[in-house]
Amino acid sequence: MRAAMTVSMGAAAVLAAIAGSAMAQDGKASDTKATPLKLELNRLEPAGESCRTYLLVDNSRGPALKSLKVDLFAFDTDGVAQKRLAVELGPVQDRKTTVRLFDFPALACAKIGRVLLNDVLACEGGEASREACLERIETESKASAPFVR
């Protein structure tokens, strides 16, 4: 009786492992990270008393988003927060890279020591949620100031 019970329990464990593997292959129970959405601080240039910011939005491997609104902070070279800005980056097309321009008003580019992606304020499209979008975003910089999360 014990041998039969052990075999049954062993068979159940094998079936559960196979089912779990199939679910992971379907993507339903997969722990893999979502497709990255890369935001690159590409350039900072003076625009009067403001700093014009070129932000590259690389969604070359992801689904479209109707809206992607981010909360940014510009810190000075001493690490003190100077400006907060909410920026709408959408719509973001699927499998497309675009450049979005915006200004940090009344802030000289030379005073910007780093830019912080503080949060995602809105993310709409498909099954996207604000939290899922924030998790997908990877930041980098080609400008003089780093762009961090």
Side-chain angles (χ1 to χ4, degrees):
M1 179 89 168
R2 280 190 189 163
M5 212 163 131
T6 303
V7 169
S8 294
M9 288 173 58
V14 168
L15 287 174
I18 291 170
S21 175
M23 282 179 64
Q25 288 176 359
D26 288 340
K28 293 177 183 167
S30 178
D31 289 339
T32 59
K33 188 176 178 184
T35 307
L37 174 62
K38 296 180 183 177
L39 299 182
E40 176 189 278
L41 182 61
N42 185 269
R43 182 176 172 184
L44 299 173
E45 74 177 10
E49 293 183 13
S50 300
C51 183
R52 175 135 316 134
T53 305
Y54 292 72
L55 191 68
L56 187 94
V57 181
D58 180 356
N59 193 36
S60 57
R61 298 183 316 176
L65 299 171
K66 291 181 207 172
S67 173
L68 176 61
K69 190 171 190 176
V70 294
D71 180 26
L72 302 174
F73 271 91
F75 289 80
D76 67 15
T77 54
D78 293 326
V80 178
Q82 294 298 309
K83 293 286 179 184
R84 182 179 187 190
L85 195 58
V87 179
E88 175 60 63
L89 300 175
V92 178
Q93 297 177 18
D94 65 327
R95 308 199 187 310
K96 178 92 172 94
T97 300
T98 58
V99 176
R100 301 288 190 227
L101 290 109
F102 58 90
D103 293 348
F104 278 107
L107 183 61
C109 295
K111 298 258 184 192
I112 297 178
R114 73 180 163 122
V115 176
L116 170 70
L117 171 66
N118 193 51
D119 202 356
V120 170
L121 301 173
C123 184
E124 299 173 17
E127 297 180 19
S129 68
R130 189 185 65 73
E131 294 82 8
C133 281
L134 181 60
E135 183 63 30
R136 281 183 62 200
I137 293 175
E138 296 176 358
T139 59
E140 54 187 66
S141 179
K142 287 191 176 173
S144 56
F147 185 34
V148 297
R149 284 178 44 118

